[in-house]
Amino acid sequence: MEVYFFLFILIAAFSFSRNVTSRVSFFAIGILLILFAAMRGEGVDRDYHGYLEYYGYILESEFKNVEPTFILIASLADRLFSSSLMIFFVYAFLGVGTKLYAINQITPHRNLALLVYYSMFFMLLEMTQIRVGVAAGFLLLCIRPILERNLRRFLLFSCLAFVFHYSAIVIFPLYFLTGSSSSLKKYAWLVPIGLAMYYMGIDIFSSLKMLPIDLIRLKIENYTELAYFDSEINFLNFPYVMRCCIAYALYWHIDTLKRINPYISLLLKIYFLALFIFAAFASVPAISSRTSELLLIVEIVLLPNLVYLIKDRRMAIGTIIGICFAYLLFSLFSANLLGPYF
């Protein structure tokens, strides 16, 4: 497990850099993460064997329920290299690459954002849920087009996200969000509303089952049946409580932050939506967790804004490093996302 902490220390060390070294280290560590995710072996993550099974189904022309991009990538991997290893290289390149490109566009705090990404999302997305990982990268690339009202670029990235994972359908309504802070107060109420909906037993999915679209109706029924076997969601877990604290800390300082970061209001709206979905749809954990995890990807470029709330820069960076380290420990020893790499 030492290698995970080595990577953390390496990225954290460069988080204090503000010169050309910061840009070089950012892309160098990005390449390292691509190789790290692509070259993992069996037993490191939970989904590795599942992807090998999908690969086998595709070779036998039994596509099962998988996105067209996976079928295409798996088919090319077999035809060009006769190996499933190429699948993991392609997904690692796209998953890490899209996020690095988005980070470079949206925030000046590249290495801090990279640390947040590694600590909070890399193990789940690029090392486990690789299809969702690529979709999440394209969601981050949608942020700038939403703010600039560039519908063509937004549709390009959101459609790419959708063909990599169908849960990315939740991205399309995000275009109707704005970068204005005037309506942010309404979104801040979403978290308590979502919790109230869950504890009051308000089940939105019961009405959705009545939809005349068979594919959607069957999907909802399957997820609802799986809910009986899922463990009940605990809202007092470390990640959810921490994220609520981060959301409201940034919200309370929105007047200061919006003068510095033009993306902050839009990012916070998506963040509040993610926290709301996690609570409001918690009766079906498969949908609640996967959808919220996809939207929570904005945390990568949102959390570094804490540097503007603490006067001493080193203390501010140290605070973010501390949050990231706590989440890393949670991922490895509580959620048990990954096993030993070697």
Side-chain angles (χ1 to χ4, degrees), residues 109-294:
H109 306 286
R110 297 181 190 88
N111 284 339
L112 266 180
L114 190 61
L115 182 67
V116 177
Y117 165 48
Y118 172 73
S119 306
M120 299 185 176
F121 296 96
F122 178 76
M123 296 180 185
L124 175 64
L125 299 180
E126 270 57 69
M127 298 287 286
T128 309
Q129 300 174 2
I130 59 176
R131 288 145 55 220
V132 181
V134 178
F138 283 116
L139 189 158
L140 267 188
L141 287 173
C142 287
I143 299 300
R144 189 170 178 178
I146 293 174
L147 192 68
E148 296 175 350
R149 313 313 299 161
N150 189 330
L151 180 59
R152 183 177 298 179
R153 283 177 62 100
F154 171 79
L155 288 176
L156 171 64
F157 293 137
S158 54
C159 287
L160 285 171
F162 180 72
V163 295
F164 272 95
H165 201 274
Y166 293 142
S167 65
I169 194 172
V170 299
I171 297 175
F172 292 97
L174 298 182
Y175 187 75
F176 298 100
L177 299 179
T178 67
S180 170
S181 62
S182 59
S183 60
L184 191 55
K185 185 176 182 179
K186 298 176 183 177
Y187 290 85
W189 278 102
L190 287 176
V191 177
I193 290 173
L195 290 169
M197 288 174 62
Y198 174 74
Y199 286 113
M200 291 172 64
I202 299 175
D203 186 6
I204 298 175
F205 290 99
S206 296
S207 58
L208 292 178
K209 290 178 189 177
M210 305 301 293
L211 288 172
I213 305 172
D214 289 339
L215 179 61
I216 296 177
R217 181 176 53 79
L218 290 172
K219 280 280 188 184
I220 292 170
E221 288 179 354
N222 289 337
Y223 279 127
T224 305
E225 289 173 4
L226 287 172
Y228 290 106
F229 302 98
D230 288 328
S231 56
E232 185 176 352
I233 287 180
N234 174 22
F235 294 108
L236 294 180
N237 66 69
F238 167 72
Y240 191 75
V241 173
M242 176 199 69
R243 282 167 166 150
C244 288
C245 292
I246 291 169
Y248 286 106
L250 294 172
Y251 169 69
W252 288 326
H253 294 86
I254 191 61
D255 290 335
T256 299
L257 293 173
K258 69 181 181 182
R259 292 194 293 268
I260 303 170
N261 184 350
Y263 296 97
I264 188 67
S265 295
L266 175 60
L267 294 172
L268 264 178
K269 288 176 183 178
I270 297 173
Y271 202 58
F272 278 125
L273 280 171
L275 296 173
F276 165 77
I277 289 171
F278 184 78
F281 300 120
S283 59
V284 187
I287 292 180
S288 167
S289 58
R290 291 181 186 181
T291 306
S292 62
E293 285 164 1
L294 181 63

Side-chain angles (χ1 to χ4, degrees), residues 1-2 4-6 8-9 46 115-116 118-121 123 238-239 242 320-339:
M1 305 292 278
E2 292 83 358
Y4 303 122
F5 293 100
F6 170 76
F8 178 87
I9 294 170
R46 303 170 184 174
L115 182 67
V116 177
Y118 172 73
S119 306
M120 299 185 176
F121 296 96
M123 296 180 185
F238 167 72
M242 176 199 69
I320 296 173
I321 291 174
I323 293 172
C324 290
F325 185 69
Y327 198 92
L328 179 72
L329 293 176
F330 177 86
S331 298
L332 290 175
F333 300 113
S334 182
N336 296 311
L337 284 179
L338 299 178

Side-chain angles (χ1 to χ4, degrees), residues 50-65:
Y51 289 116
L52 293 183
E53 288 182 6
Y54 277 147
Y55 178 66
Y57 291 141
I58 291 167
L59 296 188
E60 298 172 3
S61 298
E62 298 178 10
F63 296 149
K64 297 294 181 180
N65 186 21

Side-chain angles (χ1 to χ4, degrees), residues 65-85:
N65 186 21
V66 67
E67 292 79 10
T69 45
F70 188 89
I71 297 172
L72 176 63
I73 293 169
S75 300
L76 290 175
D78 177 63
R79 183 170 298 180
L80 299 177
F81 302 96
S82 299
S83 171
S84 61
L85 182 62

Side-chain angles (χ1 to χ4, degrees), residues 12 15-16 112 115 307 312-322:
S15 298
F16 292 92
L112 266 180
L115 182 67
V307 298
D312 186 274
R313 184 174 181 273
R314 289 185 175 273
M315 184 179 295
I317 294 174
T319 300
I320 296 173
I321 291 174

